[in-house]
Amino acid sequence: MAHAPKLDVKQDAALLVLGLESSCDETAASVLRRYTDGRVDILSNIVASQDEEHRPFGGVVPEIAARAHMRKIEPILAKAIKTSGVAWDDLDGIAATAGPGLIGGVITGLMGAKGLAMALGKPLIAVNHLEGHALSPRLTEDCPFPYLLLLVSGGHSQLLAVTGLGQYERLGSTVDDAAGEAFDKTAKVMGLGFPGGPQVQNWAARGKPDAIKLPRPMKGRDHADFSFAGLKTAVARAWEASDKTDTAKADIAASFQRAMTDTILDRVGRAMTLYRRTTGEEGQARIVVAGGVAANTELRAGLKAMAETRDFDFIAPPLKFCGDNAAMIALAGAERLAAGMIDTYDAPARPRWPLDTDAAATAPKSGYGKKGPKS
Ligand code: KG4
Ligand code: ZN
């Protein structure tokens, strides 16, 4: 039976927290200091991507990911501590992603964190990866609760009302694939390379966004859910029917990117209405975008323009904090630690772990994608 150490959190002082992230294909460690007023100093933020390992397969292979995390986690940890300039003993807590994600990777990071926490006699914070993304704007911005979050990555596509620490209401989510998966699949079908999002964006810059007619799944629906599977299939058909020239690649990439942007913006518009209903906020509100797909320039521009017309401030964290990173996990850990929300040393690794408490009833019935569970 594992025991948490006696809670001795410095409520009135800055907290120094180490975070670990290993739920998909990035092995990452970060040390940060969070002050009681919410300001954050990121002392180190080390991310080792596994793109090279997975590139030959055109997607993330769970077994390869787990082995790569095992190889990389120790040197990444050592580098994060060394770069931060802090001593192990100065840490106030150890935070690690405990799910959702590819279970082999999650176990690797969580076990590492448990070993460290036990050896150092420090509190362990088992962080929900999605909470890391949800809090990521608070790494660099003064972003008080509540706010609307659009989380679009290779594993997740969700719209959430973030009303407080540990308080998330899901306004919409994908019923099939994640947005990043659609970008990756589109790139794969046309042989553009991996990861697909940036490649599609590059090719799209040379193409005509109205060249190919593609569907806008869920557009105009009353709820704020997404669906990307049909769009993915339509792109594969369009490529099959094309003359497979570079012009065709550019036109299909541009048309796909426009369809994705239109679809996401339509769903965000719906979520803005639901968000105001949920929070009762009437004046200026905030919308935040996070996840790897948040790097897409067309999407960012569209969101910014839409936010203005709907009286929302648009917050897009720097790209390095949009994709998977450990600083966001360390921050979630520090916020939880400050609130006295720590975990026992036998906290489980959870491949599926919805962020919102009432998600069990509404969670989409989907399985694992190439980038992990579509939670
Ligand atoms: O958040 P992330 O780094 O990892 C996951 O949790 O999945 O997101 C990776 C996803 C990939 O699907 C990648 O193709 C996509 O983000 N992505 C982009 C762009 N950059 C990365 N999608 C569209 N446009 C981009 N510029
Ligand atoms: Zn993520």
Side-chain angles (χ1 to χ4, degrees):
M1 174 66 198
H3 296 280
K6 248 183 83 208
L7 182 59
D8 181 22
V9 180
K10 300 182 289 181
Q11 302 283 357
D12 54 350
L15 292 173
L16 203 52
V17 173
L18 166 72
L20 290 177
E21 159 58 33
S22 58
S23 63
C24 190
D25 58 344
E26 271 90 22
T27 317
S30 167
V31 177
L32 60 72
R33 181 179 284 116
R34 181 180 180 273
Y35 299 91
T36 47
D37 63 2
R39 276 179 309 121
V40 176
D41 282 341
I42 299 162
L43 305 180
S44 64
N45 179 42
I46 314 292
V47 183
S49 145
Q50 302 174 5
D51 283 353
E52 290 309 318
E53 281 93 332
H54 301 291
R55 182 161 291 129
F57 305 95
V60 177
V61 184
E63 182 61 27
I64 292 174
R67 287 170 194 271
H69 284 305
M70 276 173 67
R71 266 199 324 278
K72 292 180 192 210
I73 196 131
E74 261 193 70
I76 292 298
L77 246 176
K79 195 166 167 193
I81 290 289
K82 189 160 181 239
T83 309
S84 72
V86 309
W88 289 105
D89 221 35
D90 295 338
L91 294 170
D92 296 303
I94 317 284
T97 297
L102 299 173
I103 191 68
V106 173
I107 288 174
T108 307
L110 184 60
M111 291 300 277
K114 287 179 180 178
L116 278 174
M118 279 189 214
L120 297 167
K122 307 280 183 185
L124 171 79
I125 308 100
V127 173
N128 184 315
H129 178 84
L130 301 173
E131 178 163 73
H133 279 299
L135 301 180
S136 63
R138 293 158 68 89
L139 281 167
T140 51
E141 305 271 341
D142 179 23
C143 183
F145 303 122
Y147 49 89
L148 173 61
L149 174 79
L150 167 67
L151 171 54
V152 272
S153 73
H156 322 285
S157 298
Q158 301 192 350
L159 282 153
L160 295 161
V162 180
T163 53
L165 179 65
Q167 290 168 30
Y168 310 96
E169 185 161 334
R170 196 191 306 200
L171 304 174
S173 56
T174 181
V175 298
D176 40 52
D177 297 321
E181 274 184 286
F183 271 97
D184 292 339
K185 183 67 193 292
T186 295
K188 192 172 179 178
V189 161
M190 297 197 284
L192 307 185
F194 174 85
Q199 310 290 346
V200 170
Q201 179 168 310
N202 287 342
W203 279 90
R206 280 172 273 159
K208 292 193 287 299
D210 55 356
I212 315 280
K213 216 167 149 356
L214 291 171
R216 269 70 172 155
M218 300 287 194
K219 192 162 180 179
R221 297 283 180 91
D222 234 19
H223 53 67
D225 287 338
F226 302 98
S227 166
F228 298 112
L231 185 48
K232 210 171 71 175
T233 309
V235 166
R237 287 218 188 94
W239 175 244
E240 251 340 285
S242 79
D243 55 10
K244 304 197 172 54
T245 55
D246 279 0
T247 308
K249 270 186 194 170
D251 282 348
I252 292 175
S255 302
F256 166 77
Q257 186 172 265
R258 180 59 53 86
M260 286 298 284
T261 305
D262 279 356
T263 305
I264 294 173
L265 289 181
D266 177 73
R267 309 291 64 217
V268 168
R270 187 65 201 135
M272 284 174 163
T273 305
L274 298 177
Y275 172 82
R276 291 209 184 264
R277 207 175 283 163
T278 301
T279 60
E281 265 199 311
E282 282 177 1
Q284 196 70 15
R286 275 171 300 282
I287 174 164
V288 171
V289 65
V293 181
N296 190 272
T297 44
E298 186 170 327
L299 177 62
R300 281 170 97 98
L303 284 169
K304 188 164 183 289
M306 177 173 198
E308 268 164 29
T309 64
R310 299 283 300 261
D311 295 329
F312 275 74
D313 289 332
F314 175 55
I315 300 177
L319 292 189
K320 63 180 172 186
F321 300 128
C322 282
D324 286 350
N325 67 89
M328 67 183 194
I329 304 302
L331 177 63
E335 295 209 16
R336 288 193 160 255
L337 186 58
M341 298 154 82
I342 64 168
D343 295 275
T344 54
Y345 288 153
D346 57 0
R350 304 169 68 171
R352 282 171 175 270
W353 186 3
L355 195 50
D356 45 335
T357 41
D358 59 352
T362 57
K365 321 278 177 293
S366 56
Y368 282 74
K370 285 196 182 62
K371 301 277 283 184
K374 295 152 193 161
S375 42

